[in-house]
């Protein structure tokens, strides 16, 4: 009698090289994270054979963003010994580290959070450059002199946008648990409390590190799109942890699209918003399960803006309450904020124009700039006539229904950038790359 041996099912896998070969032959199935999750949510069974690459993306306020620039500001015969301070459109920059002695050239680092005043900062400057605008340059020299000129991105041979930390796997929601108001980078107007409003960041199921939480395909050298331009992952970012990893990366500013970055004003001063898109090759069934994760499965921790600790921590039942990204991106929540001109009351002092963090609304023409609007929702609560509308959602916090009043991530724009990356891959204009090495932190 022959002995029967029960064979287990063989786990399916493929390599990056095999995926690239399928793309070159026009046989690869490339889906955006939005497309894939819609299929899963509708009840469709998505198998390993059904998808080769998922394009993921995130767009929103990213404080850890800076630019490195190098360009000429004077001829050699007029050159100064060294630049001591430099301002671009009034935004302070850090000259150096190379002094470029008597060359008339400045090397600069400009923080996205640097500010000229409470309304204009590094993010506004970056967008102006990418949009092709001329910017004012003022150089104060160690000799006590001053060089004033103008330049544009076309005249800046070296311009890279970099990050200290971007693309957090998932971020947080914030509330003010105390009476009164407090200024914060997580609010556009002063944050009202107690528990009168909630703001949040993160694109949930679209986020690159939600699609690859073990960092199997995203690593050092992974090719990405940053604001529409090709760039690379450098490695893990600052404050990266196994539970909440984030990335450091860079891309050439030449070729970036202005609709994907800019300045964002908060009640604590100007910030910068930026966008990433990352391809996730589906190399095994473990990655397949990760790319299929939905907002309903992704936790969104609620923190107190005063100490950035979980709301209710140390107060017994309900401490550290958490919701999910489905509470803020699903359940009839709108990705877009809309404007109905017929409802406009023609206010002499337009409240929306006064608080819009990206200056997207022109009260004179009554038009909303699609390139500047990031669908944050600040206008919805600000407009007396209800001309701006959109369901931002309501979240239960410590047993209270708290309305979402601000989204510091733009899911609609992230969907669009993921589609841009998908088309680039299918058309052969973007090549997926295997990491040079793994990133150590992974859950």
């Amino acid at each position: 009698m022959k002995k029967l041996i029960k064979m287990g099912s063989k786990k399916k896998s493929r390599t990056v090289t095999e995926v690239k070969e399928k793309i070159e032959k026009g046989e690869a199935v490339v889906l955006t994270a939005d497309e894939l999750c819609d299929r899963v949510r509708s009840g469709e069974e998505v198998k390993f054979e059904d998808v080769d690459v998922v394009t993921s993306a995130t767009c929103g306020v990213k404080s850890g963003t800076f630019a490195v620039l190098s360009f000429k500001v004077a001829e050699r015969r007029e050159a100064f010994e060294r630049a001591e301070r430099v301002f671009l459109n009034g935004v302070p920059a850090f000259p150096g580290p190379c002094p470029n002695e008597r060359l008339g050239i400045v090397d600069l680092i400009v923080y996205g959070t640097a500010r000229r005043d409470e309304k204009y900062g590094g993010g506004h400057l970056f967008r102006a450059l990418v949009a092709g605008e001329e910017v004012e340059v003022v150089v104060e020299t160690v000799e006590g002199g001053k060089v004033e000129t103008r330049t544009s991105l076309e005249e800046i041979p070296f311009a890279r946008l970099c990050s200290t930390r971007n693309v957090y796997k998932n971020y947080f929601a914030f509330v003010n648990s105390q009476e009164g108001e407090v200024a914060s980078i997580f609010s556009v107007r002063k944050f009202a409390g107690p528990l009168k409003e909630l703001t949040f960041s993160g694109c949930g199921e679209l986020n690159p590190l939600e699609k690859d939480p073990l960092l199997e395909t995203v690593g050092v050298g992974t090719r990405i799109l940053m604001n529409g331009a090709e760039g690379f992952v450098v490695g893990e970012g600052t404050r990266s942890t196994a539970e909440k990893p984030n990335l450091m990366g860079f891309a050439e500013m030449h070729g970036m699209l202005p609709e994907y970055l800019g300045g964002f004003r908060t009640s604590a001063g100007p910030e910068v918003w930026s966008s990433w898109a990352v391809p996730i090759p589906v190399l095994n069934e473990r990655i397949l399960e990760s790319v299929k994760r939905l907002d309903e499965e992704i936790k969104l921790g609620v923190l107190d803006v005063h100490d950035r600790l979980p709301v209710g921590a140390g107060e017994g039942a309900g401490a550290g309450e958490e919701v999910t990204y489905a509470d803020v991106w699903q359940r009839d929540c709108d990705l877009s904020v809309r404007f109905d001109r017929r409802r406009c009351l023609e206010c002499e002092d337009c409240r929306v124009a006064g608080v819009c963090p990206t200056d997207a609304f022109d009260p004179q023409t009554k038009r909303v700039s699609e390139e500047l609007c990031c669908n944050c929702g600040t206008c919805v609560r600000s407009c007396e006539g209800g001309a701006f509308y959109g369901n931002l959602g309501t979240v239960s916090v410590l047993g209270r229904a708290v309305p979402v009043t601000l989204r510091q991530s733009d899911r609609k724009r992230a969907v669009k950038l993921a589609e841009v990356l998908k088309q680039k891959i299918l058309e052969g204009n973007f090549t997926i790359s295997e990491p040079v090495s793994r990133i150590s932190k992974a859950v």
Side-chain angles (χ1 to χ4, degrees):
M1 186 174 179
K2 293 184 178 179
K3 187 177 180 181
L4 297 178
I5 301 176
K6 187 176 180 180
M7 302 296 292
S9 59
K10 184 179 180 181
K11 290 189 176 181
K12 299 171 183 177
S13 65
R14 55 172 73 100
T15 66
V16 172
T17 299
E18 289 170 336
V19 173
K20 290 167 70 174
E21 288 174 353
K22 289 186 72 174
I23 293 171
E24 291 168 2
K25 293 176 181 178
E27 299 173 353
V29 178
V30 182
L31 299 175
T32 68
D34 190 51
E35 291 172 331
L36 178 64
C37 289
D38 280 349
R39 292 188 183 187
V40 174
R41 190 171 281 110
S42 68
E44 181 179 337
E45 183 182 1
V46 180
K47 300 179 182 178
F48 186 73
E49 298 80 11
D50 298 331
V51 57
D52 297 292
V53 181
V54 174
T55 57
S56 58
T58 185
C59 171
V61 174
K62 292 180 172 54
S63 300
T65 302
F66 63 98
V68 180
L69 311 172
S70 179
F71 57 96
K72 185 170 76 171
V73 295
E75 299 297 333
R76 287 193 183 219
R77 61 179 178 276
E78 304 166 348
F80 43 88
E81 180 184 343
R82 213 162 25 89
E84 187 164 54
R85 298 202 301 170
V86 180
F87 300 87
L88 305 179
N89 275 0
V91 176
F94 291 94
C98 180
N100 290 324
E101 185 179 24
R102 298 184 180 88
L103 293 178
I105 295 172
V106 290
D107 287 1
L108 306 173
I109 296 175
V110 188
Y111 293 162
T113 52
R115 61 185 68 176
R116 178 183 69 195
D117 50 43
E118 293 305 306
K119 293 187 176 182
Y120 191 96
H124 300 87
L125 171 68
F126 300 159
R127 189 184 189 282
L129 286 169
V130 168
E133 299 175 17
E134 275 199 344
V135 300
E136 297 177 349
V137 182
V138 176
V139 181
E140 296 179 359
T141 72
V142 293
E143 298 96 329
K146 181 182 288 188
V147 177
E148 298 184 42
T149 185
R150 300 181 69 85
T151 192
S152 66
L153 188 59
E154 187 178 6
E155 298 172 318
I156 300 177
F158 188 100
R160 288 183 180 173
L161 203 64
C162 311
S163 70
T164 56
R165 57 178 179 273
N166 282 182
V167 198
Y168 267 95
K169 188 179 82 170
N170 59 325
Y171 207 65
F172 297 103
F174 291 89
V175 294
N176 175 9
S177 66
Q178 302 177 19
E179 290 283 353
E181 298 179 330
V182 59
S184 168
I185 61 172
F186 301 110
S187 66
V188 169
R189 294 170 298 194
K190 286 190 175 181
F191 219 132
L195 301 181
K196 291 182 178 178
E197 58 179 320
L198 178 144
T199 73
F200 78 94
S201 301
C203 285
E205 65 190 25
L206 268 63
N207 187 284
L209 298 188
E210 287 292 351
K211 303 291 96 173
D212 184 15
L214 297 180
L215 301 174
E216 294 182 75
T217 70
V218 180
V220 177
T222 295
R223 188 176 277 108
I224 64 169
L225 288 184
M226 186 185 290
N227 304 318
E230 193 169 296
F232 297 90
V233 172
V234 174
E236 63 179 332
T238 59
R239 286 176 24 205
S240 181
T241 66
E243 295 75 23
K244 288 185 176 292
N246 68 74
L247 301 175
M248 179 178 288
F250 73 91
E252 287 290 333
M253 293 180 73
H254 303 93
M256 285 189 178
L257 303 174
E259 67 180 289
Y260 291 109
L261 83 159
F264 188 99
R265 290 198 304 274
T266 75
S267 60
E271 288 278 329
V272 55
W273 59 277
S274 183
S275 311
W276 284 52
V278 182
I280 309 296
V282 182
L283 303 182
N284 53 54
E285 293 177 276
R286 184 172 52 250
I287 295 175
L288 176 65
E289 291 308 307
S290 293
V291 296
K292 289 162 61 177
R293 288 189 75 210
L294 304 178
D295 287 323
E296 291 83 349
E297 304 169 79
I298 303 172
K299 291 182 179 181
L300 175 60
V302 181
L303 304 186
D304 190 331
V305 71
H306 289 278
D307 54 20
R308 298 206 192 184
L309 293 175
V311 174
E315 296 180 7
E321 185 168 352
E322 286 184 318
V323 296
T324 71
Y325 275 96
D327 293 300
V328 294
W329 287 129
Q330 304 296 329
R331 300 169 190 166
D332 299 322
C333 295
D334 297 315
L335 297 190
S336 301
V337 173
R338 296 177 292 281
F339 172 62
D340 186 348
R341 186 168 182 169
R342 295 169 298 180
R343 299 184 188 177
C344 181
L345 299 180
E346 307 284 344
C347 300
E348 184 175 340
D349 185 15
C350 176
R351 292 176 61 186
V352 171
V355 299
C356 178
T358 60
D359 294 320
F361 181 62
D362 186 335
Q364 302 302 318
T365 63
K366 301 295 185 293
R367 296 195 180 193
V368 178
S369 167
E370 289 190 11
E371 280 205 352
L372 288 174
C373 176
C374 62
N375 296 294
C376 71
T378 302
C379 53
V380 174
R381 195 173 63 149
S382 303
C383 183
E384 293 183 6
F388 294 85
Y389 60 100
N391 179 14
L392 306 185
T394 301
V395 174
S396 176
V397 181
L398 299 181
R400 294 176 58 171
V402 183
V404 176
T405 58
L406 171 65
R407 306 185 291 205
Q408 289 192 307
S409 293
D410 187 347
R411 177 99 158 217
K412 181 179 179 181
R413 196 172 255 106
V415 169
K416 184 177 179 181
L417 188 56
E419 180 64 32
V420 169
L421 177 56
K422 171 185 172 178
Q423 294 306 318
K424 282 180 174 288
I425 291 172
L426 292 175
E427 294 166 4
N429 295 322
F430 183 99
T431 303
I432 63 172
S433 58
E434 195 163 1
V436 175
S437 66
R438 292 284 300 270
I439 294 174
S440 59
K441 287 187 172 67
V443 293

